Amino acid sequence: MIGEDTLDIGGQVALVTGAGKGVGRGIALELAKHNAGGIAVNDFDAGRANEVVEEVRAMGVKAVPAVFDVTDRGAVATVYEKVTAELGAPTILVNNAGNAGPDGTFDLGPPFWDEDPAVWNKYIATNFYGVLNCCHVALPYMVEAGRGRVVTIVSDSGRVGEPRLAVYAAAKAGAAGFMRSLAKDAGRHGITCNSIALGSIQTMQTPEQFEAYKQTDQYKKAIAQYTIRRYGQPEDVSGLAAFLCSDRASWITGQTYPVNGGYSMAQ
Ligand SMILES: NC(=O)c1ccc[n+]([C@@H]2O[C@H](COP(=O)([O-])OP(=O)(O)OC[C@H]3O[C@@H](n4cnc5c(N)ncnc54)[C@H](O)[C@@H]3O)[C@@H](O)[C@H]2O)c1
């Protein structure tokens, strides 16, 4: 049909985790642009969540802040109920919160065998348990609605491995594996579950910091691995995320889609 919006979200309500900045913010705005019925903007940082709520409302779409840490299942459940009362139950869940979680320090470590076990939890808690918590709370609402979309943002490191990031990569691989089983459990209820595996996205530094980083040998070595010679931007991700949340994607489930500038390629 001429003029049809392929990414039409059809008035469904979405909850996007870690949407106060970066990729999650980009996905929240994209869903709003394509006819979402409302957006619950999650972040553990209330200030960031509120800023994105205002941006979504300025687009003429309903939005509420959903302030919780995804690692706290009790808080997820309490706020989810509140969101449901305000917007209706979300039938779209985008598990985007990740990296090092509230700790924030996302560093290349030593080889795994020299790593302090105390650092493992910051990666596993948000990138793996956070996904379990949000799905555990959200799925009963979707089952009742007979419809749902779950999209989890993982990392190419979880597909192809990444030295000095083994535990983060393992948490992301675990989340993608979990999505495949959840897809099999939930498919009969009209719920699809997919993952998007990202290469490096330019979100973790200010533009000034990134300009300085571009002069370093570390950046030159990193960028040489990208067929498309740049880091990604949130807009490189948000279109695919919206498509997987749309009605057009109702027969796509249990998959992991790389969005990575050609960092890895596989059959
Ligand atoms: N940036 C990259 O290069 C890259 C690469 C591969 C995968 N990813 C993944 O993409 C997703 C988005 O990354 P980004 O770079 O946009 O992140 P970001 O660090 O720029 O923003 C993440 C947002 O999530 C929030 N958040 C973090 N932990 C949370 C928690 N436990 N509960 C609630 N909110 C939380 C933060 O406050 C922040 O606002 C993450 O899952 C990340 O692991 C990013």
Side-chain angles (χ1 to χ4, degrees), residues 18 21 23 43-44 48 69-70 96 99 126 168 172 201 203:
K21 71 186 275 287
V23 171
D43 212 288
F44 71 80
R48 284 207 280 265
D69 182 329
V70 296
N96 164 81
N99 293 332
T126 297
Y168 167 76
K172 290 299 201 188
I201 311 290
T203 54

Side-chain angles (χ1 to χ4, degrees), residues 16-25 27 94-99 126-127 131 151-153 172 198 237:
V16 184
T17 70
K21 71 186 275 287
V23 171
R25 170 181 170 272
I27 293 172
V94 180
N95 292 303
N96 164 81
N99 293 332
T126 297
N127 295 286
V131 175
V151 175
T152 296
I153 305 300
K172 290 299 201 188
L198 305 184
V237 185

Side-chain angles (χ1 to χ4, degrees), residues 147-172:
R147 179 196 198 284
R149 296 281 183 271
V150 184
V151 175
T152 296
I153 305 300
V154 298
S155 166
D156 234 25
S157 65
R159 291 178 59 244
V160 298
E162 194 65 39
R164 302 170 64 196
L165 274 180
V167 177
Y168 167 76
K172 290 299 201 188

